[in-house]
């Protein structure tokens, strides 16, 4: 007990709290913690290694570790393009120009949509159920459950009859397994039975050798086969296996190692062997101690996590359970709660997106149902992009690799869609994709026909180059994909007979107003894409002919327009409605994440964008509010951005689909509702935009600092041009900034109206004061 007391006292001091606080009510500053087990999924705590994810519930008598593997999906390899769809294209456009939208949508619904109409769904995998027959729930005291973001580990501990039980769960990237460590501080007091359960009807379980359980099966609707394997190791006590469970009796500690794999190799290849994959993971784990696996995991995680530090000034220590802390923040401002949300966003990206794996989907990696909302796919008319907004600026650039891999995939599968639906060169992705990299328009013609999903995603390739400066990346990965996207739009843009300008269409302004010609968003995205291809081809010294075609087409694309209400028009026609609070704010793309609307370069459009944003209001779904944080930051209104952050940080419970409301669940997962991870990532990215921006050719310091954060510091942010940026501020003013130049080259640093210009050499560190 004395040792335990010392540990608690130490964590008390680390938390900056007072040693007189009750022992169980303190936690590490960067942790989410609770004084009770999770009773629902959105209270459980997530761990992940980019491929295997788990949600830990922490029940004392029954633990539930619900897990996923990123490639368990319905369906199989398939080309979704509709052969010959292009034959209807000119008729659809003609109907739209003639104002016959309903007829255009009806025609498109029959002849222009994906075959089949819907894409496939991400699936649950199963649970590890761990039953503790000797623990009496009524005698549990000092219960504590926490997710420490710094070590990426969930710990549950409690006392029963003088015995302290501790469980530690983490998902290791180096070892490709989830590890659950169970200990009792009195020898021989640990007894439990572990049972893997499946979310799929077609499965079988069996014991493998003396210490493994296997659960194999396949999805009902598709070709994915899977296996989960559990290795059970106990220190002291006995392990007995049957074909469903492993029973451990009288142990002092035990380690469960969970491996999970499928036959998925790529969108076109399902010839993998899940059993062989798990054999390899288990064989590696068998030779390693728990301590060695833990050390490798923590080192791997911290190499990412510790790159950025954020301190938003003083607020209460982390001394109330996190859900109650969210509630309390409505009465007492708690800037460090925003810092916790920021770090949680970075944590979730580290846990859900690792090179070689799938990109974070609508729920990242975590999913407890076989019918998840929107199939937990990749929706690319905002959601997937938002997932990766923080990767470059938040110093996690390597974690965007799965997104780039997916882009390479859709640049292949999107060729048949470009050809069959548009008779166009290059490739196209509409508003969704799945594990099989569907690219054709899905669901309904009024919102599924939106051809700029791939072009928007291609912005991330340009960013990776702008922030990281790798010519090899530009030449080998970014340019071929961006070039193919640009070729598509050279063929897809047509002349608007009314204005003589080039317009995109048929399309829609996501996801309202129906099928139209020329939504503002498309044009902003296409201009940005063309700019990136023009610049990249110059840098690489290739494609001079294509470059001049792009330059002349770009100049002819329909321009942004300011409408009768002083707003930035969402469509070619001035039909915006000042009472429209739709969650999508697509027409402001040029303000964020684009860069064509800025205060200094385009002041009239900048004011019009603000007007449009005022009309949309301060509510919305989770991701909508997260986007608005970024918009208000770009508009240099820190207090308004902070108000949106506060609206997003509102506790909710509902998992039913609602198109207004937003908020966070007790485990700080963002609520659309239902849970959608984009809001977590978008909020983290928005906090960076409040503190530093670099899209307008300058590194701007504290562009949108709210009055609520008078003191603070941040380190390790990244700016375009290859700079690492540290900042400190006091009394609401910049104290000092340090830039480290990773590539060398010029930089303009701005604070308010003042600027400084520097020439830097590679590795140079400059200290900036204004
Ligand atoms: C788009 C959005 C919804 C939701 C879904 C996954 O359809 O309009 O709000 O985020 O994607």
């Amino acid at each position: 007990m004395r040792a335990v007391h010392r540990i608690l006292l130490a964590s008390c001091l680390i938390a900056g709290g007072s040693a007189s606080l009750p022992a169980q009510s303190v936690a590490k500053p960067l942790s989410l913690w609770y004084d009770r087990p999770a009773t629902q999924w959105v209270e459980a705590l997530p761990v992940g290694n980019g491929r295997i994810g788990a949600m830990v519930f922490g029940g004392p008598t029954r633990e539930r570790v619900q897990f996923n593997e990123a490639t368990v999906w319905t369906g199989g390899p398939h080309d979704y393009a509709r052969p010959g769809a292009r034959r209807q294209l000119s008729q659809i456009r003609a109907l739209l120009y003639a104002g016959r939208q309903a007829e255009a949508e009806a025609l498109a619904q029959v002849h222009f949509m994906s075959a089949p109409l819907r894409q496939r769904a991400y699936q649950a995998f199963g649970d590890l159920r761990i039953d503790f027959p000797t623990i009496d729930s009524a005698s549990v005291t000092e219960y504590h459950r926490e997710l420490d973001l710094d070590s990426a580990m969930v710990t549950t501990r409690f006392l029963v009859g003088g015995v302290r039980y501790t469980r530690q769960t983490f998902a290791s990237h180096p070892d490709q397994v989830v590890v659950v460590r169970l200990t009792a501080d009195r020898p021989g007091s640990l007894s439990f039975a572990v049972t893997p359960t499946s979310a799929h009807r077609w499965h079988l379980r069996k014991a493998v050798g003396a210490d493994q359980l296997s659960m194999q099966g396949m999805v009902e609707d598709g070709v994915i086969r899977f296996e989960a394997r559990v290795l059970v190791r106990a220190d002291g006590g006995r392990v007995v296996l049957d074909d469903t469970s492993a029973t451990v009796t009288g142990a002092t500690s035990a380690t469960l190692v969970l491996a999970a794999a499928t036959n998925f190799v790529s969108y076109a290849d399902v010839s993998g062997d899940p059993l062989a994959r798990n054999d390899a993971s288990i064989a590696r784990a068998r030779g390693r101690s728990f301590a060695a696996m833990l050390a490798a995991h923590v080192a791997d995680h911290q190499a990412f996590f510790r790159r950025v530090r954020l301190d938003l000034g003083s607020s209460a220590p982390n001394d109330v359970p996190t859900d109650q802390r969210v509630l309390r923040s409505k009465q007492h401002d708690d800037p460090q709660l925003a810092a916790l949300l920021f770090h949680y966003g970075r944590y979730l990206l580290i846990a859900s997106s690792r090179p070689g794996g799938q990109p974070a989907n609508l729920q990242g990696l975590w999913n407890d149902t076989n019918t998840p909302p929107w199939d937990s796919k990749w929706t690319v008319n905002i959601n997937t992009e938002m997932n990766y907004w923080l990767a470059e600026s938040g110093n996690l650039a390597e974690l965007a690799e799965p997104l780039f891999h997916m882009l390479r995939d859709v640049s292949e599968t999107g060729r048949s869609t470009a050809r069959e639906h548009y008779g166009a060169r290059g490739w196209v992705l509409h508003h969704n994709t799945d594990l099989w990299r569907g690219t054709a328009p899905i669901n309904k013609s009024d919102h599924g026909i939106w051809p700029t999903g791939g072009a928007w995603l291609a912005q991330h390739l340009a960013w990776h180059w702008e922030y990281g400066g790798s010519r090899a990346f530009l030449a080998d990965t970014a340019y071929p994909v961006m070039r193919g996207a640009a070729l598509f739009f050279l063929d897809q843009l047509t002349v608007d007979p009314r204005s003589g300008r080039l317009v995109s269409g048929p399309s829609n302004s996501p996801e309202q107003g129906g099928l139209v010609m020329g939504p503002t968003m498309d044009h902003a995205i296409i201009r940005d894409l063309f700019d990136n291809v023009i610049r990249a081809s110059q840098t690489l010294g290739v494609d001079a002919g294509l470059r001049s075609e792009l330059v002349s087409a770009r100049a002819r694309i329909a321009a942004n327009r300011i409408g009768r209400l002083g707003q930035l028009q969402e469509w070619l026609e001035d039909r915006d409605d000042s009472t429209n609070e739709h969650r999508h704010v697509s027409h402001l793309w040029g303000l964020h994440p684009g860069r064509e609307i800025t205060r200094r370069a385009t002041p009239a459009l900048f004011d019009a964008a603000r007007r449009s944003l005022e009309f949309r209001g301060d509510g919305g779904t989770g991701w909508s509010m997260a986007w608005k944080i970024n918009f208000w930051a770009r508009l240099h209104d820190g207090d308004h951005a902070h108000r949106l952050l506060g609206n997003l940080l509102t506790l909710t419970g509902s998992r039913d689909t609602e198109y207004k409301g937003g908020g966070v669940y007790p485990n700080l997962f963002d609520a659309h509702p239902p849970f959608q991870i984009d809001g977590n990532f978008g909020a983290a990215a928005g906090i960076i935009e409040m503190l530093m921006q670099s899209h307008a050719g300058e590194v701007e310091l504290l562009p949108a600092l709210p009055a609520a954060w008078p003191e603070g510091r941040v380190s390790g942010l990244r700016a375009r041009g290859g700079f690492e940026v540290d900042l400190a501020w006091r009394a609401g003013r910049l104290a000092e900034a340090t830039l480290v130049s990773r590539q060398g080259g010029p930089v303009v640093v701005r604070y308010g109206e003042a600027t400084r210009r520097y020439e830097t050499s590679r590795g140079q560190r400059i200290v900036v004061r204004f």
Side-chain angles (χ1 to χ4, degrees):
M1 281 307 286
R2 284 180 63 86
V4 169
H5 184 72
R6 268 205 306 279
I7 291 164
L8 289 170
L9 187 61
S11 63
C12 224
L13 294 174
I14 291 165
S18 129
S20 61
L21 285 168
Q24 72 269 37
S25 66
V26 289
K28 299 203 179 88
L30 288 184
S31 73
L32 282 61
W33 74 272
Y34 307 84
D35 56 9
R36 65 198 60 172
T39 54
Q40 44 163 350
W41 192 75
V42 287
E43 293 171 27
L45 293 169
V47 295
N49 64 11
R51 190 174 66 81
I52 308 174
M55 297 288 286
V56 185
F57 283 66
T61 58
R62 172 173 284 186
E63 175 63 280
R64 179 178 176 207
V65 180
Q66 183 269 326
F67 63 94
N68 292 97
E69 204 274 357
T71 61
V72 182
W73 282 67
T74 58
H78 180 72
D79 182 353
Y80 292 85
R82 177 176 295 275
R86 65 178 175 276
R87 287 194 287 273
Q88 309 299 326
L89 189 59
S90 52
Q91 177 65 5
I92 295 168
R93 285 177 177 145
L95 286 168
L96 291 172
Y97 280 129
R100 293 155 65 182
Q101 186 190 53
E103 287 166 74
E105 288 174 354
L107 182 69
Q109 190 67 34
V110 177
H111 296 292
F112 203 76
M113 303 302 286
S114 173
L117 194 55
R118 298 194 188 276
Q119 293 174 352
R120 300 310 197 127
Y122 186 38
Q123 301 285 281
F125 199 135
D127 290 1
L128 280 191
R129 205 183 73 202
I130 315 174
D131 290 298
F132 299 85
T134 59
I135 293 179
D136 167 17
S137 62
S139 341
V140 172
T141 58
E142 296 190 22
Y143 182 89
H144 183 92
R145 175 170 70 96
E146 84 176 32
L147 167 61
D148 174 29
L149 303 181
D150 187 47
S151 59
M153 181 157 72
V154 173
T155 302
T156 306
R157 54 172 189 262
F158 51 86
L159 212 55
V160 178
V163 182
R164 183 167 299 278
Y165 291 92
T166 305
R167 294 178 207 150
Q168 297 159 292
T169 306
F170 60 88
S172 164
H173 184 71
D175 283 302
Q176 287 296 308
V177 290
V178 170
V179 179
V180 184
R181 169 84 167 168
L182 307 101
T183 55
D185 72 351
R186 183 189 296 157
S189 316
L190 181 66
S191 297
F192 64 89
V194 55
T195 310
T197 67
S198 179
H200 300 271
R201 192 152 66 102
W202 294 344
H203 75 274
L204 63 90
R205 289 178 295 196
K206 61 178 184 194
V208 179
D211 57 6
Q212 292 179 57
L213 289 166
S214 165
M215 181 172 76
Q216 306 169 31
M218 66 183 295
V219 300
E220 243 176 280
D221 176 20
V223 302
I224 290 292
R225 291 183 291 110
F226 53 75
E227 190 210 27
R229 192 88 63 83
V230 192
L231 171 69
V232 183
R233 287 198 307 221
D235 309 308
R238 248 166 17 107
V239 183
V240 177
L241 259 66
D242 60 29
D243 279 340
T244 50
S245 305
T247 305
V248 174
T249 320
T252 305
S253 64
T255 306
L256 309 178
V257 178
L258 170 69
T262 74
N263 57 332
F264 179 85
V265 178
S266 76
Y267 68 84
D269 180 357
V270 288
S271 66
D273 180 351
L275 276 68
R277 287 171 168 175
N278 289 336
D279 280 344
S281 302
I282 294 291
R284 199 170 43 232
R286 199 182 271 293
R288 285 157 69 67
S289 68
F290 170 75
M293 285 196 283
L294 176 60
H297 158 70
V298 170
D300 166 73
H301 172 75
Q302 289 180 347
F304 293 104
F305 187 75
R306 289 193 166 179
R307 288 177 188 171
V308 176
R309 300 193 183 233
L310 172 65
D311 181 352
L312 290 178
S314 59
S315 56
N318 192 0
D319 61 354
V320 295
T322 302
D323 48 349
Q324 292 171 39
R325 187 174 174 191
V326 175
L327 287 174
R328 188 181 64 179
S329 73
K330 299 292 160 201
Q331 271 75 51
H332 306 281
D333 195 35
D334 184 355
Q336 296 291 43
L337 181 62
L340 184 67
L341 187 76
F342 169 77
H343 284 296
Y344 193 45
R346 294 184 70 254
Y347 168 86
L348 290 170
L349 196 66
I350 300 167
S352 64
S353 184
R354 291 298 190 106
Q358 294 298 316
N361 64 38
L362 283 173
Q363 299 187 167
L365 177 60
W366 299 277
N367 170 30
D368 63 337
T369 152
N370 288 337
T371 53
W374 294 282
D375 308 315
S376 196
K377 299 191 290 288
W378 292 278
T379 303
V380 299
N381 63 9
I382 175 70
N383 318 85
T384 307
E385 290 89 351
M386 184 177 280
N387 285 1
Y388 286 90
W389 282 350
L390 70 89
E392 302 293 337
S393 56
N395 214 336
L396 298 171
E398 303 95 314
L399 304 186
E401 191 274 346
L403 186 72
F404 303 150
H405 195 112
M406 185 173 89
L407 266 159
R408 205 176 58 213
D409 290 349
V410 292
S411 76
E412 293 165 7
T413 60
R415 265 188 242 142
S416 57
T417 306
R419 189 184 59 239
E420 295 302 328
H421 290 245
Y422 298 90
R425 294 170 292 168
W427 63 276
V428 60
L429 167 61
H430 290 82
H431 95 300
N432 262 276
T433 192
D434 61 3
L435 191 69
W436 315 109
R437 305 311 190 223
T439 54
I442 64 165
N443 300 352
K444 272 198 86 182
S445 61
D446 65 356
H447 68 273
I449 302 176
W450 177 77
T452 28
W456 185 348
L457 284 169
Q459 183 189 37
H460 292 249
L461 295 165
W463 286 351
H464 196 69
W465 167 46
E466 288 168 14
Y467 282 86
S470 163
R471 194 184 163 97
F473 174 80
L474 181 66
D476 303 338
T477 305
Y479 188 68
V481 173
M482 297 193 309
R483 182 181 187 277
L487 280 180
F488 170 79
F489 285 103
L490 281 177
D491 293 348
Q492 181 261 6
L493 289 167
T494 54
V495 176
D496 181 343
R498 300 164 302 185
S499 66
R501 305 298 294 253
L502 289 177
V503 298
S504 166
S507 185
N508 73 98
S509 191
E511 298 176 4
Q512 53 163 342
L515 199 60
V516 296
M517 295 301 292
T520 297
M521 177 189 237
D522 277 18
H523 300 150
I525 292 175
I526 296 166
R527 275 191 292 269
D528 190 75
L529 171 71
F530 283 10
D531 283 343
N532 291 333
V533 176
I534 290 165
R535 228 159 17 102
S537 70
Q538 263 159 355
T539 304
L540 297 172
V542 295
D543 286 338
L546 172 66
R547 183 158 65 243
S548 51
E549 259 190 88
L550 291 171
V551 169
S552 73
R554 187 201 186 284
R556 295 174 57 208
I557 295 173
N560 286 310
R561 292 184 184 184
I562 298 173
R564 70 197 189 288
L565 305 167
Q567 90 285 11
L568 184 66
Q569 282 182 210
E570 186 157 0
W571 297 274
L572 288 173
E573 303 76 22
D574 188 1
R575 60 184 172 102
D576 300 67
D577 170 357
S578 62
T579 63
N580 176 2
E581 296 191 338
H582 197 276
R583 62 196 178 282
H584 284 272
V585 200
S586 309
H587 47 321
L588 269 51
W589 196 94
L591 175 70
H592 182 278
R595 61 192 153 180
E596 67 178 19
I597 299 176
T598 63
R599 176 155 71 179
R600 283 169 201 90
T602 58
L605 290 172
F606 187 82
D607 289 343
R610 182 194 292 113
R611 191 112 183 95
S612 291
L613 191 57
E614 284 164 358
F615 293 157
R616 282 296 209 267
D618 293 339
T621 57
W623 62 255
S624 181
M625 292 196 279
W627 200 358
K628 289 170 184 170
I629 298 170
N630 289 271
F631 282 134
W632 283 113
R634 288 272 172 106
L635 290 167
H636 293 93
D637 190 335
D639 288 340
H640 212 139
H642 185 258
R643 188 187 311 159
L644 264 303
L645 184 61
N647 291 355
L648 185 144
L649 261 172
T650 301
L651 198 63
T652 185
S654 165
R655 286 183 80 187
D656 296 336
T657 303
E658 289 164 30
Y659 287 91
K660 282 200 172 160
V664 290
Y665 293 107
N667 65 1
L668 295 191
F669 269 177
D670 191 68
H672 179 287
F675 164 50
Q676 228 172 71
I677 205 161
D678 39 23
N680 286 103
F681 295 134
I687 289 171
I688 298 176
E689 289 290 315
M690 291 165 77
L691 301 176
M692 196 264 303
Q693 296 174 12
S694 69
H695 60 287
E698 309 171 328
V699 176
E700 182 163 4
L701 309 174
L702 301 180
L705 185 70
W709 300 344
E711 319 281 327
R713 56 177 56 240
V714 63
S715 63
L717 300 182
R718 283 169 87 238
R720 290 170 181 82
F723 295 92
E724 261 175 41
V725 181
D726 299 356
L727 293 175
W729 63 96
R730 276 191 290 278
R733 288 199 51 82
L734 180 75
E736 183 178 285
T738 307
L739 273 69
V740 177
S741 174
R742 294 282 170 219
Q743 297 165 32
V747 61
V748 174
V749 184
R750 173 180 291 278
Y751 177 58
E753 295 308 313
T755 57
R756 304 249 196 287
R757 192 187 159 79
Y758 302 89
E759 288 296 332
T760 67
S761 51
R762 193 182 290 251
Q764 191 181 338
R765 185 169 174 275
I766 48 178
V767 178
V768 191
R769 291 193 191 89
F770 284 88

